[in-house]
Amino acid sequence: MALEAVHVSDVPNLDQVPENASVSLYSTRFARGLELNRAASFRIPKFLVIGHRGHGMNSLQSSDPRMKANIKENSILSFNSAAKFPIDFIEFDVQVTKDDCPVIFHDDFILSQEDGTVFEKRVTELSLAEFLSYGPQRESGKEGKCLMRKTNGKIVKWNVETDDSLCTLQEAFQKVEPSLGFNIELKFDDNIVYQHDYLLHVLQVILKVVSEFAKDRSIIFSSFHPDAAQLVRKLQNNYPVFFLTNGGTELYYDVRRNSLEEAIKVCLEGGLQGIVSEIKGVFRNPGAVSKIKESKLSLLTYGKLNNVPEAVYMQHLMGIDGVIVDFVKEISEAVGDMIMPVNAEEKEESEAKSSLQFSQKELSFLLKLIPELIQH
């Protein structure tokens, strides 16, 4: 069957995804901790579906109602809500407070309002108690400080349909469904030049919590900071480390962040196991996939296009190893048609149901066309 069209004008800035853009997909979660050690011939054994900040990020001003905030991102509630679907991992962001507690929060700053004045405080300059004082409180009858967020240049109240308290990394290990893997992003501010000793201290604090509470849980570390990614690889060899990159869709002073080719170099120099790229960077440069595979690296992707089943299916055909998604339900229900049936009868049944099939000629055409479609 032919691929259902996605309008070209929607591709570069895909805030809205067609409501009917879903297929029946399937993904079996790893029952126990996945062996992801480079020394053990590291390889991702299946196409992974990873929940972005748990059940999906909070895009407070999105025009797509599914991208708006239903469940507070990066919360225990969001993580366990994602665990109800057949996904393999959740992705979340970890920073360390000034009193050395790893907490889960995406933004570099917490925004709040007092007496009509909006103020911001850097997460890493707060104590744990200060950090947890924002938003809903665990203690009955206690009211937390107002939590706000800057989005599209505007500061708005962080309103969600189902709210939850801010949380620590330790709590995530203790309270989240144990069969669900953690993709832990080591979060650092793009605008700060960090000294080696600071990076070392922060990573050691995080690794201490992981060592004490991870048990059999599957874990992948990732970071946009090339030095942090390489350093966490040197500090431990139990869990794989991936380098995060925009794949050239944005440019940075540190050239190591500016292309997939540079990302490969970072991985090979530091003994990392893979790359996590913005999907537009891969679609603009599909030839990089074979270079990544030839370098014996794994490749995951993130970005709004990963909320489109057709784009996810395309990545499966290209040999990409997994996707980080916001639409956990839709995409986890879409991945079954991509898995090869175990016998001829199941294959025939799967082909009858699937609306996502390409001939080699169609695939070749799409690989040539996609880079043109997503140019700004």
Side-chain angles (χ1 to χ4, degrees):
M1 255 191 183
L3 173 68
E4 182 179 339
V6 177
H7 198 279
V8 174
S9 62
D10 291 337
V11 175
N13 296 294
L14 194 60
D15 255 333
Q16 285 193 285
V17 181
E19 286 284 356
N20 60 353
S22 75
V23 210
S24 341
L25 272 176
Y26 168 76
S27 173
T28 304
R29 189 178 303 156
F30 303 109
R32 296 186 63 78
L34 175 64
E35 179 57 64
L36 292 177
N37 193 330
R38 179 78 168 186
S41 299
F42 169 78
R43 187 177 72 87
I44 293 178
K46 62 188 288 293
F47 189 81
L48 301 181
V49 178
I50 302 170
H52 187 209
R53 305 182 200 172
H55 194 263
M57 69 178 288
N58 296 161
S59 184
L60 301 179
Q61 291 191 305
S62 173
S63 55
D64 187 329
R66 291 170 297 166
M67 285 296 292
K68 288 188 176 178
N70 295 316
I71 303 173
K72 173 67 73 61
E73 69 175 43
N74 278 337
S75 68
I76 301 298
L77 180 61
S78 181
F79 300 154
N80 281 324
S81 295
K84 296 175 183 177
F85 301 97
I87 65 172
D88 306 292
F89 284 76
I90 50 171
E91 179 272 349
F92 55 76
D93 313 271
V94 172
Q95 305 183 57
V96 174
T97 61
K98 70 177 183 181
D99 50 353
D100 288 346
C101 182
V103 295
I104 298 177
F105 196 77
H106 173 269
D107 302 354
D108 296 317
F109 293 90
I110 275 188
L111 276 69
S112 190
Q113 189 176 38
E114 190 173 312
D115 298 328
T117 302
V118 175
F119 62 88
E120 63 179 21
K121 294 186 178 181
R122 186 177 291 279
V123 172
T124 54
E125 294 177 355
L126 297 173
S127 68
L128 175 61
E130 289 172 321
F131 173 76
L132 295 176
S133 70
Y134 292 92
Q137 299 296 290
R138 296 178 179 82
E139 188 179 330
S140 179
K142 187 176 181 181
E143 187 173 342
K145 298 174 185 175
C146 169
L147 196 56
M148 308 187 78
R149 190 174 214 179
K150 184 180 289 185
T151 174
N152 297 329
K154 296 181 180 179
I155 297 175
V156 297
K157 286 188 176 180
W158 200 326
N159 292 327
V160 293
E161 289 180 15
T162 309
D163 215 339
D164 196 19
S165 306
L166 301 181
C167 67
T168 67
L169 178 60
Q170 178 179 330
E171 286 177 303
F173 279 120
Q174 294 172 324
K175 297 179 180 180
V176 174
E177 161 61 42
S179 67
L180 192 62
F182 285 177
N183 172 195
I184 300 175
E185 180 184 338
L186 307 166
K187 184 80 176 178
F188 296 95
D189 190 329
D190 290 339
N191 300 308
I192 294 178
V193 177
Y194 294 97
Q195 298 301 311
H196 174 85
D197 288 349
Y198 177 83
L199 292 176
L200 178 63
H201 176 73
V202 166
L203 296 177
Q204 286 175 329
V205 168
I206 294 171
L207 288 173
K208 184 175 185 295
V209 172
V210 172
S211 175
E212 290 180 13
F213 298 99
K215 298 181 180 178
D216 291 329
R217 194 184 297 272
S218 301
I219 293 174
I220 296 172
F221 287 113
S222 61
S223 184
F224 281 103
H225 196 297
D227 295 329
Q230 292 180 342
L231 184 54
V232 78
R233 179 69 184 102
K234 290 178 182 177
L235 291 173
Q236 58 81 45
N237 60 8
N238 291 323
Y239 306 110
V241 180
F242 282 44
F243 180 51
L244 272 159
T245 177
N246 289 301
T249 60
E250 295 180 45
L251 296 181
Y252 296 87
Y253 177 76
D254 188 335
V255 296
R256 295 175 295 177
R257 300 185 58 183
N258 289 344
S259 70
L260 288 168
E261 287 74 19
E262 287 294 330
I264 293 172
K265 292 179 186 177
V266 170
C267 291
L268 295 180
E269 289 170 3
L272 310 188
Q273 285 83 7
I275 293 168
V276 185
S277 174
E278 218 291 349
I279 181 53
K280 287 193 289 187
V282 176
F283 279 167
R284 288 177 182 176
N285 183 15
V289 176
S290 59
K291 296 177 185 176
I292 290 167
K293 295 300 178 179
E294 288 166 6
S295 301
K296 302 191 184 307
L297 299 169
S298 296
L299 176 61
L300 305 174
T301 67
Y302 70 92
K304 291 178 183 176
L305 281 172
N306 282 356
N307 295 322
V308 183
E310 288 84 353
V312 173
Y313 184 66
M314 187 71 194
Q315 293 176 65
H316 174 65
L317 294 177
M318 292 171 69
I320 290 168
D321 296 296
V323 289
I324 298 172
V325 306
D326 293 299
F327 296 170
V328 170
K329 180 180 185 295
E330 288 91 334
I331 300 302
S332 66
E333 287 177 352
V335 173
D337 285 344
M338 294 191 268
I339 306 300
M340 182 67 70
V342 296
N343 56 51
E345 185 178 337
E346 288 187 4
K347 180 177 181 181
E348 185 176 338
E349 183 180 349
S350 174
E351 288 177 348
K353 291 180 180 178
S354 175
S355 62
L356 296 177
Q357 295 179 37
F358 302 99
S359 68
Q360 279 300 119
K361 185 176 180 181
E362 288 172 326
L363 180 59
S364 176
F365 171 75
L366 285 168
L367 285 171
K368 293 176 182 176
L369 178 63
I370 284 174
E372 299 298 323
L373 292 180
I374 63 175
Q375 294 295 333
H376 284 300

